[in-house]
Structures are given as structure tokens and as C-alpha cells.
Amino acid sequence: MLVPTLGILHLLLEDNLDMERVNYNAAFLAQATCFITKLLPFIKDGHRIRKCIDYFDSSLFTVTMEKQKTVIDNCIKVCRRNTFIFLLCACSGVGSWATKPFFWEGHKLPVDVWLPFNTSEKLIIYYPVYFIITMGPCFASVATGVIDPLIAGLAYNATTQIKILKDNLQYLSEYADEEMLKNRKTSPTEQISIIKNEIIYKKIRQSIDHHDAILNFVKEYEKCFSLVVFSQFAASVFVICFCCLQLSESNTVAHAIYMGKWYDYDVKCKKALIILMERSKVPITVTAGKITELSLPTFTT
């Protein structure tokens, strides 16, 4: 909480703010605030999250078919791979962010924060403050490298269980034949048909229980992580729209021309400037998939 609070105070109290620095700090503060929201379920509802994780130890999620075991193994591999890649990217990102001030002139902090004293005057002041400022985001990046893959991994596990459920329902007859062959039940043709239908009915009931277990997990998952996912979505939209919003500064081109000494130019130059002013009336925007503009109205919507 310390770094985001001091950063917000800097944005509120600073008189002369550079738009580029505001953009940089606003993006950082949005992600930091998002991380605080992510931590809340782990602080308040840790038992519920453990319940979500332990859900897949239930006998209803146990598989016996080799084909389905392969699906589970693939799910585990994907989750481990994504966790490793995400954690590596998070650590690399925060590492580059934390070391960036060493390539700047003067003793600047990696993020602008409000402090009642000047850290650039003495190194004995700068380094302790630098350490405190960077330790928070470093911890947050490592924690995020665990939290985000956990959220995605649990959802992917639920998706995998749906795949297994679909497989069980699609091949009810084939799996019933396999079970009969495994138990070596030899009976008259009529009884074989009755036995097979009983096995199919039993598997359908198991599938219903399996489906109920998946639905119950999704409800529990939503209670745990609905706010977390929303905060991540909102923070990402804010960062993207705020960055792209800077492109709308093209609207001030005409103002810049007007504030110049255009009255001293010849007719040819004045006509060229008029053409440029007319072109600058069209705002520069970026679209998402050619569908919607990344702008302030999009963000508020």
C-alpha cells in the first residue's frame, strides 16, 4: 500500500506534471492497486481458496481411462508451463523496472512518489528509500506470478473436467462394452442388452454427479476470484486506454500553429498551414481489432 499511496499523493500534489511521467506512473499505480485487490481473497477467504484447490481431489474427478489420464496430464503440463513463463516474465519485468534508475541522470526513483524530503541530495538517503520503494513491487511481481497462474490454472482444470465429462457422454456405449468385457459377463443376448443398459444408466448418473461437482466448483471459484478478475480487467483497460489517449494530443496541433508567428509567413506557407490545421482536426485513435476505439469514452463505457 505504501508505494501506490505515495504515488497518488505525488500526482495530486505536484504542480508541474509531465504528461509522459503521468502516463508512466498512472499505469504503474493501476497495476499496483489491482494487485492489492488480488490479495484480498487470500487474506479474507483463504479457506475458500484452499477448498477450490482441493476440489479436484474428489472421487468424482478421478479418471480411469488412459485417454482421459492423458488429458489430465496435458492440463498439468500446460499449467506448469504457463506458471513458469509468467513468473519468468514478471521477474524480468520488475527487474528491468527496478534497475532503470541506474541508467538515468541524477538519483531518481523508479516511480515518482511524494516524500517530505529530497532523496537526490545524499546517497545515504537515496539508497534506503530506493530499496523500500523497489521491494514492494518486487514482492508483488513474485506474488502475482503465483496468483495469476493459480486463477487461470483452476479455470483450466475445470475446462479439462468438462472435456472428460463430454468424453464420457459421447462414448457411453463403448465404455459400457469395455466394462462388460473387463468383467467377462457372458449371458444370453437379451440379458446382455439389459446389463449394458444398466451400466450405461449408472454411467449417466455418475456423469450427472460429475456435472454437479463442476458447477459447484465454478460457483465457489466465482465467489473467490470474481472481484480479482474484474480488477485485472479494469486495470488492463485503464492502462491501454490511458496510453492510447495520449495520441489524442494531435487535437492541439492547430493551437500550436495558431500560437506561432504565422502572420509573418508568406501566402504559400499560410495555405500549407491551413491544410495541416484541417488535417489535424481528425483525431488520431487506435482501435481494438478494428471494432472499438481505445479512448476515454471506451474506458468509461
PDB file of all heavy atoms in Angstrom, residues 210-235:
ATOM      1  N   HIS A 210     -20.928 -35.776 -11.714  1.00  0.00           N
ATOM      2  CA  HIS A 210     -19.707 -35.110 -12.176  1.00  0.00           C
ATOM      3  C   HIS A 210     -20.026 -33.678 -12.617  1.00  0.00           C
ATOM      4  O   HIS A 210     -19.310 -32.721 -12.263  1.00  0.00           O
ATOM      5  CB  HIS A 210     -19.097 -35.908 -13.334  1.00  0.00           C
ATOM      6  CG  HIS A 210     -17.750 -35.426 -13.754  1.00  0.00           C
ATOM      7  ND1 HIS A 210     -17.125 -35.864 -14.907  1.00  0.00           N
ATOM      8  CD2 HIS A 210     -16.893 -34.535 -13.192  1.00  0.00           C
ATOM      9  CE1 HIS A 210     -15.944 -35.266 -15.005  1.00  0.00           C
ATOM     10  NE2 HIS A 210     -15.789 -34.464 -13.997  1.00  0.00           N
ATOM     11  N   HIS A 211     -21.113 -33.527 -13.353  1.00  0.00           N
ATOM     12  CA  HIS A 211     -21.525 -32.206 -13.831  1.00  0.00           C
ATOM     13  C   HIS A 211     -21.893 -31.300 -12.665  1.00  0.00           C
ATOM     14  O   HIS A 211     -21.533 -30.101 -12.644  1.00  0.00           O
ATOM     15  CB  HIS A 211     -22.705 -32.358 -14.793  1.00  0.00           C
ATOM     16  CG  HIS A 211     -23.110 -31.084 -15.453  1.00  0.00           C
ATOM     17  ND1 HIS A 211     -24.357 -30.520 -15.290  1.00  0.00           N
ATOM     18  CD2 HIS A 211     -22.421 -30.233 -16.261  1.00  0.00           C
ATOM     19  CE1 HIS A 211     -24.428 -29.383 -15.976  1.00  0.00           C
ATOM     20  NE2 HIS A 211     -23.272 -29.193 -16.576  1.00  0.00           N
ATOM     21  N   ASP A 212     -22.602 -31.844 -11.679  1.00  0.00           N
ATOM     22  CA  ASP A 212     -22.948 -31.059 -10.490  1.00  0.00           C
ATOM     23  C   ASP A 212     -21.697 -30.601  -9.747  1.00  0.00           C
ATOM     24  O   ASP A 212     -21.638 -29.468  -9.253  1.00  0.00           O
ATOM     25  CB  ASP A 212     -23.826 -31.901  -9.544  1.00  0.00           C
ATOM     26  CG  ASP A 212     -25.255 -32.035 -10.051  1.00  0.00           C
ATOM     27  OD1 ASP A 212     -25.660 -31.200 -10.884  1.00  0.00           O
ATOM     28  OD2 ASP A 212     -25.955 -32.959  -9.628  1.00  0.00           O
ATOM     29  N   ALA A 213     -20.698 -31.497  -9.661  1.00  0.00           N
ATOM     30  CA  ALA A 213     -19.449 -31.147  -8.977  1.00  0.00           C
ATOM     31  C   ALA A 213     -18.730 -30.016  -9.706  1.00  0.00           C
ATOM     32  O   ALA A 213     -18.178 -29.107  -9.071  1.00  0.00           O
ATOM     33  CB  ALA A 213     -18.546 -32.378  -8.884  1.00  0.00           C
ATOM     34  N   ILE A 214     -18.757 -30.051 -11.038  1.00  0.00           N
ATOM     35  CA  ILE A 214     -18.131 -28.980 -11.821  1.00  0.00           C
ATOM     36  C   ILE A 214     -18.857 -27.656 -11.594  1.00  0.00           C
ATOM     37  O   ILE A 214     -18.225 -26.605 -11.388  1.00  0.00           O
ATOM     38  CB  ILE A 214     -18.122 -29.334 -13.322  1.00  0.00           C
ATOM     39  CG1 ILE A 214     -17.241 -30.567 -13.585  1.00  0.00           C
ATOM     40  CG2 ILE A 214     -17.635 -28.155 -14.157  1.00  0.00           C
ATOM     41  CD1 ILE A 214     -17.314 -31.093 -14.995  1.00  0.00           C
ATOM     42  N   LEU A 215     -20.200 -27.704 -11.589  1.00  0.00           N
ATOM     43  CA  LEU A 215     -20.988 -26.494 -11.356  1.00  0.00           C
ATOM     44  C   LEU A 215     -20.726 -25.921  -9.965  1.00  0.00           C
ATOM     45  O   LEU A 215     -20.599 -24.697  -9.793  1.00  0.00           O
ATOM     46  CB  LEU A 215     -22.481 -26.797 -11.528  1.00  0.00           C
ATOM     47  CG  LEU A 215     -22.958 -27.124 -12.943  1.00  0.00           C
ATOM     48  CD1 LEU A 215     -24.440 -27.461 -12.933  1.00  0.00           C
ATOM     49  CD2 LEU A 215     -22.697 -25.968 -13.891  1.00  0.00           C
ATOM     50  N   ASN A 216     -20.646 -26.797  -8.976  1.00  0.00           N
ATOM     51  CA  ASN A 216     -20.365 -26.339  -7.610  1.00  0.00           C
ATOM     52  C   ASN A 216     -18.979 -25.704  -7.518  1.00  0.00           C
ATOM     53  O   ASN A 216     -18.787 -24.700  -6.820  1.00  0.00           O
ATOM     54  CB  ASN A 216     -20.465 -27.514  -6.632  1.00  0.00           C
ATOM     55  CG  ASN A 216     -21.897 -27.992  -6.459  1.00  0.00           C
ATOM     56  OD1 ASN A 216     -22.848 -27.234  -6.627  1.00  0.00           O
ATOM     57  ND2 ASN A 216     -22.071 -29.270  -6.143  1.00  0.00           N
ATOM     58  N   PHE A 217     -18.018 -26.303  -8.227  1.00  0.00           N
ATOM     59  CA  PHE A 217     -16.675 -25.726  -8.234  1.00  0.00           C
ATOM     60  C   PHE A 217     -16.685 -24.337  -8.861  1.00  0.00           C
ATOM     61  O   PHE A 217     -16.058 -23.406  -8.344  1.00  0.00           O
ATOM     62  CB  PHE A 217     -15.707 -26.629  -9.005  1.00  0.00           C
ATOM     63  CG  PHE A 217     -14.404 -25.946  -9.320  1.00  0.00           C
ATOM     64  CD1 PHE A 217     -13.421 -25.815  -8.355  1.00  0.00           C
ATOM     65  CD2 PHE A 217     -14.168 -25.400 -10.582  1.00  0.00           C
ATOM     66  CE1 PHE A 217     -12.225 -25.165  -8.627  1.00  0.00           C
ATOM     67  CE2 PHE A 217     -12.992 -24.747 -10.865  1.00  0.00           C
ATOM     68  CZ  PHE A 217     -12.008 -24.632  -9.894  1.00  0.00           C
ATOM     69  N   VAL A 218     -17.395 -24.198  -9.984  1.00  0.00           N
ATOM     70  CA  VAL A 218     -17.437 -22.903 -10.681  1.00  0.00           C
ATOM     71  C   VAL A 218     -18.070 -21.838  -9.789  1.00  0.00           C
ATOM     72  O   VAL A 218     -17.609 -20.679  -9.757  1.00  0.00           O
ATOM     73  CB  VAL A 218     -18.208 -23.044 -12.009  1.00  0.00           C
ATOM     74  CG1 VAL A 218     -18.444 -21.677 -12.639  1.00  0.00           C
ATOM     75  CG2 VAL A 218     -17.449 -23.938 -12.977  1.00  0.00           C
ATOM     76  N   LYS A 219     -19.109 -22.210  -9.042  1.00  0.00           N
ATOM     77  CA  LYS A 219     -19.734 -21.247  -8.125  1.00  0.00           C
ATOM     78  C   LYS A 219     -18.742 -20.807  -7.043  1.00  0.00           C
ATOM     79  O   LYS A 219     -18.639 -19.623  -6.719  1.00  0.00           O
ATOM     80  CB  LYS A 219     -20.963 -21.876  -7.481  1.00  0.00           C
ATOM     81  CG  LYS A 219     -22.138 -22.053  -8.431  1.00  0.00           C
ATOM     82  CD  LYS A 219     -23.315 -22.710  -7.733  1.00  0.00           C
ATOM     83  CE  LYS A 219     -24.478 -22.932  -8.707  1.00  0.00           C
ATOM     84  NZ  LYS A 219     -25.610 -23.625  -8.042  1.00  0.00           N
ATOM     85  N   GLU A 220     -18.022 -21.779  -6.492  1.00  0.00           N
ATOM     86  CA  GLU A 220     -17.032 -21.466  -5.464  1.00  0.00           C
ATOM     87  C   GLU A 220     -15.893 -20.630  -6.045  1.00  0.00           C
ATOM     88  O   GLU A 220     -15.399 -19.686  -5.418  1.00  0.00           O
ATOM     89  CB  GLU A 220     -16.478 -22.762  -4.877  1.00  0.00           C
ATOM     90  CG  GLU A 220     -15.803 -22.618  -3.529  1.00  0.00           C
ATOM     91  CD  GLU A 220     -16.787 -22.294  -2.420  1.00  0.00           C
ATOM     92  OE1 GLU A 220     -17.955 -22.744  -2.504  1.00  0.00           O
ATOM     93  OE2 GLU A 220     -16.388 -21.592  -1.485  1.00  0.00           O
ATOM     94  N   TYR A 221     -15.492 -20.977  -7.262  1.00  0.00           N
ATOM     95  CA  TYR A 221     -14.422 -20.251  -7.963  1.00  0.00           C
ATOM     96  C   TYR A 221     -14.825 -18.800  -8.205  1.00  0.00           C
ATOM     97  O   TYR A 221     -14.031 -17.884  -8.005  1.00  0.00           O
ATOM     98  CB  TYR A 221     -14.139 -20.965  -9.283  1.00  0.00           C
ATOM     99  CG  TYR A 221     -13.121 -20.296 -10.159  1.00  0.00           C
ATOM    100  CD1 TYR A 221     -11.766 -20.561 -10.028  1.00  0.00           C
ATOM    101  CD2 TYR A 221     -13.515 -19.406 -11.164  1.00  0.00           C
ATOM    102  CE1 TYR A 221     -10.824 -19.960 -10.843  1.00  0.00           C
ATOM    103  CE2 TYR A 221     -12.590 -18.795 -11.982  1.00  0.00           C
ATOM    104  CZ  TYR A 221     -11.245 -19.076 -11.820  1.00  0.00           C
ATOM    105  OH  TYR A 221     -10.320 -18.468 -12.640  1.00  0.00           O
ATOM    106  N   GLU A 222     -16.080 -18.606  -8.614  1.00  0.00           N
ATOM    107  CA  GLU A 222     -16.544 -17.246  -8.888  1.00  0.00           C
ATOM    108  C   GLU A 222     -16.584 -16.410  -7.608  1.00  0.00           C
ATOM    109  O   GLU A 222     -16.231 -15.226  -7.612  1.00  0.00           O
ATOM    110  CB  GLU A 222     -17.930 -17.285  -9.521  1.00  0.00           C
ATOM    111  CG  GLU A 222     -18.442 -15.914  -9.935  1.00  0.00           C
ATOM    112  CD  GLU A 222     -19.788 -15.967 -10.611  1.00  0.00           C
ATOM    113  OE1 GLU A 222     -20.422 -17.040 -10.572  1.00  0.00           O
ATOM    114  OE2 GLU A 222     -20.210 -14.948 -11.168  1.00  0.00           O
ATOM    115  N   LYS A 223     -17.004 -17.029  -6.498  1.00  0.00           N
ATOM    116  CA  LYS A 223     -17.030 -16.299  -5.220  1.00  0.00           C
ATOM    117  C   LYS A 223     -15.624 -15.858  -4.818  1.00  0.00           C
ATOM    118  O   LYS A 223     -15.451 -14.787  -4.234  1.00  0.00           O
ATOM    119  CB  LYS A 223     -17.630 -17.182  -4.130  1.00  0.00           C
ATOM    120  CG  LYS A 223     -19.132 -17.439  -4.282  1.00  0.00           C
ATOM    121  CD  LYS A 223     -19.622 -18.384  -3.202  1.00  0.00           C
ATOM    122  CE  LYS A 223     -21.108 -18.694  -3.379  1.00  0.00           C
ATOM    123  NZ  LYS A 223     -21.582 -19.672  -2.367  1.00  0.00           N
ATOM    124  N   CYS A 224     -14.646 -16.699  -5.109  1.00  0.00           N
ATOM    125  CA  CYS A 224     -13.264 -16.392  -4.715  1.00  0.00           C
ATOM    126  C   CYS A 224     -12.615 -15.348  -5.611  1.00  0.00           C
ATOM    127  O   CYS A 224     -11.944 -14.430  -5.127  1.00  0.00           O
ATOM    128  CB  CYS A 224     -12.415 -17.671  -4.743  1.00  0.00           C
ATOM    129  SG  CYS A 224     -12.810 -18.855  -3.455  1.00  0.00           S
ATOM    130  N   PHE A 225     -12.812 -15.481  -6.924  1.00  0.00           N
ATOM    131  CA  PHE A 225     -11.968 -14.734  -7.854  1.00  0.00           C
ATOM    132  C   PHE A 225     -12.716 -13.775  -8.772  1.00  0.00           C
ATOM    133  O   PHE A 225     -12.100 -13.186  -9.655  1.00  0.00           O
ATOM    134  CB  PHE A 225     -11.163 -15.712  -8.717  1.00  0.00           C
ATOM    135  CG  PHE A 225     -10.287 -16.630  -7.916  1.00  0.00           C
ATOM    136  CD1 PHE A 225     -10.537 -17.991  -7.878  1.00  0.00           C
ATOM    137  CD2 PHE A 225      -9.219 -16.136  -7.190  1.00  0.00           C
ATOM    138  CE1 PHE A 225      -9.724 -18.852  -7.147  1.00  0.00           C
ATOM    139  CE2 PHE A 225      -8.397 -16.975  -6.457  1.00  0.00           C
ATOM    140  CZ  PHE A 225      -8.656 -18.340  -6.428  1.00  0.00           C
ATOM    141  N   SER A 226     -14.014 -13.608  -8.592  1.00  0.00           N
ATOM    142  CA  SER A 226     -14.766 -12.710  -9.470  1.00  0.00           C
ATOM    143  C   SER A 226     -14.238 -11.283  -9.383  1.00  0.00           C
ATOM    144  O   SER A 226     -13.986 -10.625 -10.403  1.00  0.00           O
ATOM    145  CB  SER A 226     -16.252 -12.745  -9.101  1.00  0.00           C
ATOM    146  OG  SER A 226     -16.987 -11.852  -9.912  1.00  0.00           O
ATOM    147  N   LEU A 227     -14.036 -10.784  -8.166  1.00  0.00           N
ATOM    148  CA  LEU A 227     -13.524  -9.424  -7.981  1.00  0.00           C
ATOM    149  C   LEU A 227     -12.098  -9.300  -8.494  1.00  0.00           C
ATOM    150  O   LEU A 227     -11.716  -8.264  -9.058  1.00  0.00           O
ATOM    151  CB  LEU A 227     -13.582  -9.043  -6.496  1.00  0.00           C
ATOM    152  CG  LEU A 227     -13.094  -7.638  -6.130  1.00  0.00           C
ATOM    153  CD1 LEU A 227     -13.948  -6.583  -6.830  1.00  0.00           C
ATOM    154  CD2 LEU A 227     -13.129  -7.431  -4.621  1.00  0.00           C
ATOM    155  N   VAL A 228     -11.301 -10.355  -8.318  1.00  0.00           N
ATOM    156  CA  VAL A 228      -9.909 -10.337  -8.772  1.00  0.00           C
ATOM    157  C   VAL A 228      -9.839 -10.195 -10.288  1.00  0.00           C
ATOM    158  O   VAL A 228      -9.080  -9.371 -10.818  1.00  0.00           O
ATOM    159  CB  VAL A 228      -9.182 -11.625  -8.327  1.00  0.00           C
ATOM    160  CG1 VAL A 228      -7.778 -11.673  -8.905  1.00  0.00           C
ATOM    161  CG2 VAL A 228      -9.135 -11.704  -6.806  1.00  0.00           C
ATOM    162  N   VAL A 229     -10.630 -11.006 -10.985  1.00  0.00           N
ATOM    163  CA  VAL A 229     -10.621 -10.966 -12.451  1.00  0.00           C
ATOM    164  C   VAL A 229     -11.134  -9.623 -12.945  1.00  0.00           C
ATOM    165  O   VAL A 229     -10.606  -9.051 -13.903  1.00  0.00           O
ATOM    166  CB  VAL A 229     -11.473 -12.118 -13.020  1.00  0.00           C
ATOM    167  CG1 VAL A 229     -11.583 -12.013 -14.537  1.00  0.00           C
ATOM    168  CG2 VAL A 229     -10.857 -13.471 -12.642  1.00  0.00           C
ATOM    169  N   PHE A 230     -12.156  -9.085 -12.267  1.00  0.00           N
ATOM    170  CA  PHE A 230     -12.676  -7.782 -12.671  1.00  0.00           C
ATOM    171  C   PHE A 230     -11.624  -6.690 -12.500  1.00  0.00           C
ATOM    172  O   PHE A 230     -11.469  -5.815 -13.359  1.00  0.00           O
ATOM    173  CB  PHE A 230     -13.918  -7.432 -11.857  1.00  0.00           C
ATOM    174  CG  PHE A 230     -14.409  -6.026 -12.076  1.00  0.00           C
ATOM    175  CD1 PHE A 230     -15.118  -5.705 -13.226  1.00  0.00           C
ATOM    176  CD2 PHE A 230     -14.150  -5.014 -11.159  1.00  0.00           C
ATOM    177  CE1 PHE A 230     -15.557  -4.416 -13.452  1.00  0.00           C
ATOM    178  CE2 PHE A 230     -14.580  -3.725 -11.373  1.00  0.00           C
ATOM    179  CZ  PHE A 230     -15.296  -3.420 -12.516  1.00  0.00           C
ATOM    180  N   SER A 231     -10.893  -6.721 -11.385  1.00  0.00           N
ATOM    181  CA  SER A 231      -9.872  -5.703 -11.137  1.00  0.00           C
ATOM    182  C   SER A 231      -8.762  -5.790 -12.177  1.00  0.00           C
ATOM    183  O   SER A 231      -8.254  -4.763 -12.639  1.00  0.00           O
ATOM    184  CB  SER A 231      -9.289  -5.864  -9.729  1.00  0.00           C
ATOM    185  OG  SER A 231      -8.577  -7.084  -9.608  1.00  0.00           O
ATOM    186  N   GLN A 232      -8.384  -7.015 -12.556  1.00  0.00           N
ATOM    187  CA  GLN A 232      -7.360  -7.180 -13.587  1.00  0.00           C
ATOM    188  C   GLN A 232      -7.846  -6.650 -14.924  1.00  0.00           C
ATOM    189  O   GLN A 232      -7.109  -5.959 -15.639  1.00  0.00           O
ATOM    190  CB  GLN A 232      -7.004  -8.662 -13.719  1.00  0.00           C
ATOM    191  CG  GLN A 232      -5.918  -8.953 -14.740  1.00  0.00           C
ATOM    192  CD  GLN A 232      -4.577  -8.378 -14.341  1.00  0.00           C
ATOM    193  OE1 GLN A 232      -4.009  -8.757 -13.325  1.00  0.00           O
ATOM    194  NE2 GLN A 232      -4.055  -7.450 -15.123  1.00  0.00           N
ATOM    195  N   PHE A 233      -9.098  -6.947 -15.241  1.00  0.00           N
ATOM    196  CA  PHE A 233      -9.680  -6.459 -16.494  1.00  0.00           C
ATOM    197  C   PHE A 233      -9.747  -4.935 -16.501  1.00  0.00           C
ATOM    198  O   PHE A 233      -9.362  -4.286 -17.479  1.00  0.00           O
ATOM    199  CB  PHE A 233     -11.079  -7.051 -16.664  1.00  0.00           C
ATOM    200  CG  PHE A 233     -11.831  -6.528 -17.854  1.00  0.00           C
ATOM    201  CD1 PHE A 233     -11.533  -6.973 -19.128  1.00  0.00           C
ATOM    202  CD2 PHE A 233     -12.833  -5.583 -17.705  1.00  0.00           C
ATOM    203  CE1 PHE A 233     -12.221  -6.483 -20.236  1.00  0.00           C
ATOM    204  CE2 PHE A 233     -13.521  -5.087 -18.795  1.00  0.00           C
ATOM    205  CZ  PHE A 233     -13.216  -5.544 -20.068  1.00  0.00           C
ATOM    206  N   ALA A 234     -10.216  -4.359 -15.389  1.00  0.00           N
ATOM    207  CA  ALA A 234     -10.350  -2.898 -15.312  1.00  0.00           C
ATOM    208  C   ALA A 234      -8.991  -2.216 -15.388  1.00  0.00           C
ATOM    209  O   ALA A 234      -8.832  -1.204 -16.073  1.00  0.00           O
ATOM    210  CB  ALA A 234     -11.072  -2.509 -14.020  1.00  0.00           C
ATOM    211  N   ALA A 235      -7.997  -2.783 -14.693  1.00  0.00           N
ATOM    212  CA  ALA A 235      -6.660  -2.186 -14.707  1.00  0.00           C
ATOM    213  C   ALA A 235      -6.050  -2.245 -16.102  1.00  0.00           C
ATOM    214  O   ALA A 235      -5.430  -1.278 -16.564  1.00  0.00           O
ATOM    215  CB  ALA A 235      -5.753  -2.906 -13.708  1.00  0.00           C
TER     216      ALA A 235
END
